[in-house]
Amino acid sequence: MHAFANPARFLKLARPLTAWLGWGGGLLVALALLDGLVLAPRDYLQGESVRILYVHVPAAWLGMGGWAALAAASLMQLVWRHPLAAIAARAVAVPGAVFTAICLATGSLWGRPTWGTWWQWDGRMTSMLVLLFLYAGWIALAEAERERSGDGRLAAIFGLVGAVNLPVIHYSVLWWRSLHQGQSIGLTGTTIDPAMLWPLLGSALGFTLLFAAVVLMRMRALLARQKVEARLRRLAA
Amino acid sequence: MSHWPFIAGAYAVTLVATVGLVVASYAAMRRAEREAGTRRDSR
């Protein structure tokens, strides 16, 4: 990991990787969603609305995975002072917030025909909404720190503290009575039929590759802006 | 109740948000890297 602490070395790897991840992710998402919409069977209980889960579940994983990555980058920033860690955290925040918002919107669109309601203040949905607010707070704090030429430590601490919400989201369906269904995919197996599992896994992998491509694009933009700002400071001195 | 309008809505929200995110991030990256390159050239 420390080998890529050098921005020049990171950029040498990131430039070709951005295109591969972007195009690969886009293609995989298109194929998986086509499979999910056309070929996968309807669920015996949920009916056709099960097709919403091919976009909802990957969005939920990426919303939570985004904050896990943000917390990991914050830890690297605080403990090892990794030069790219703060940039990685800033690059992850917006895509993480977007996928959390997609998860909430698609969950609501799934809930109306399946449960008969757009929203319930139960543990899973409320903790996911809290995650969206945490992202918004983190983005505002990081931007304020940047404007005041801070080193991003406050945002890093917020990133670590906010990770407390991740196990709350994960275990909420076990800890509290919930409308939301429990876990269908675990480390040891799954209760999902293979005809529905493959489009779900394909979609999850495709969106993950796209997410990674977006993070690399945002890191490259932040590094380029940092370079320009450093040059302007040198000229002004 | 037909589920298809809800399915169409969910896919539309996802695709619009994802494509918007990818395009905005790509445009910001190109702009920033072009600016960094231009300023280096004009030094």
Side-chain angles (χ1 to χ4, degrees), chain A residues 137-211:
Chain A
W138 192 93
I139 292 164
L141 181 61
E143 195 55 33
E145 266 200 296
R146 194 188 66 82
E147 278 176 12
R148 294 171 65 180
S149 305
D151 58 1
R153 275 172 154 239
L154 273 178
I157 292 167
F158 184 9
L160 281 177
V161 174
V164 169
N165 191 41
L166 296 180
V168 175
I169 296 171
H170 184 74
Y171 291 109
S172 57
V173 287
L174 301 174
W175 290 345
W176 298 293
R177 284 164 61 92
S178 172
L179 262 183
H180 199 283
Q181 67 199 64
Q183 190 174 307
S184 308
I185 301 174
L187 290 174
T188 52
T190 176
T191 55
I192 303 176
D193 185 87
M196 294 171 171
L197 184 64
W198 288 114
L200 179 62
L201 294 180
S203 166
L205 180 62
F207 276 113
T208 305
L209 296 182
L210 271 182
F211 188 95

Side-chain angles (χ1 to χ4, degrees), chain A residues 37 46 48-49 51-52 54-55 95 102 106 109 112-113 118 207 214 217-218 220-221 224 227-228 231-232, chain B residues 1 3-4 6-7 9-11 13-15 17-18 21-22 25-26 28-29 32-33 35-36 39-40 43:
Chain A
L37 272 175
Q46 299 173 43
E48 299 290 356
S49 70
R51 299 181 200 285
I52 295 175
Y54 302 125
V55 290
I102 291 173
T106 54
L109 283 159
R112 182 67 186 90
W118 297 100
F207 276 113
V214 166
M217 286 179 207
R218 299 181 74 85
R220 285 172 60 180
K227 207 157 126 188
V228 170
R231 212 170 280 146
L232 289 174
Chain B
M1 179 195 290
H3 291 183
W4 283 102
F6 297 96
I7 297 168
Y11 277 67
V13 164
T14 305
L15 294 180
T18 307
L21 180 67
V22 171
S25 302
Y26 181 75
M29 178 191 77
E33 288 189 340
E35 200 181 333
R39 286 189 185 269
R40 183 169 54 222
R43 189 170 49 178

Side-chain angles (χ1 to χ4, degrees), chain A:
Chain A
M1 187 69 79
H2 285 275
F4 297 104
N6 179 334
R9 200 172 293 167
F10 165 78
L11 284 172
K12 203 175 163 187
L13 182 75
R15 282 192 186 114
L17 208 55
T18 308
W20 280 107
L21 290 171
W23 287 112
L27 188 67
L28 201 53
V29 165
L31 291 173
L33 294 190
L34 198 67
D35 186 359
L37 272 175
V38 180
L39 301 175
R42 66 202 295 275
D43 184 68
Y44 80 103
L45 203 60
Q46 299 173 43
E48 299 290 356
S49 70
V50 72
R51 299 181 200 285
I52 295 175
L53 300 188
Y54 302 125
V55 290
H56 172 72
V57 175
W61 285 346
L62 287 170
M64 292 171 68
W67 196 280
L70 194 153
S74 300
L75 186 71
M76 284 184 202
Q77 184 190 348
L78 289 172
V79 178
W80 294 291
R81 298 179 188 274
H82 197 297
L84 287 175
I87 286 173
R90 284 183 63 199
V92 164
V94 170
V98 168
F99 277 97
T100 304
I102 291 173
C103 167
L104 289 165
T106 54
S108 186
L109 283 159
W110 179 83
R112 182 67 186 90
T114 316
W115 296 333
T117 180
W118 297 100
W119 182 262
Q120 272 286 313
W121 290 101
D122 84 338
R124 175 58 66 86
M125 285 174 258
T126 308
S127 54
M128 209 62 198
L129 184 64
V130 168
L131 181 65
L132 183 64
F133 294 153
L134 284 173
Y135 271 120
W138 192 93
I139 292 164
L141 181 61
E143 195 55 33
E145 266 200 296
R146 194 188 66 82
E147 278 176 12
R148 294 171 65 180
S149 305
D151 58 1
R153 275 172 154 239
L154 273 178
I157 292 167
F158 184 9
L160 281 177
V161 174
V164 169
N165 191 41
L166 296 180
V168 175
I169 296 171
H170 184 74
Y171 291 109
S172 57
V173 287
L174 301 174
W175 290 345
W176 298 293
R177 284 164 61 92
S178 172
L179 262 183
H180 199 283
Q181 67 199 64
Q183 190 174 307
S184 308
I185 301 174
L187 290 174
T188 52
T190 176
T191 55
I192 303 176
D193 185 87
M196 294 171 171
L197 184 64
W198 288 114
L200 179 62
L201 294 180
S203 166
L205 180 62
F207 276 113
T208 305
L209 296 182
L210 271 182
F211 188 95
V214 166
V215 170
L216 287 182
M217 286 179 207
R218 299 181 74 85
M219 284 182 77
R220 285 172 60 180
L222 288 166
L223 281 169
R225 262 182 244 138
Q226 217 173 47
K227 207 157 126 188
V228 170
E229 281 167 15
R231 212 170 280 146
L232 289 174
R233 272 200 300 273
R234 272 203 306 275
L235 284 173

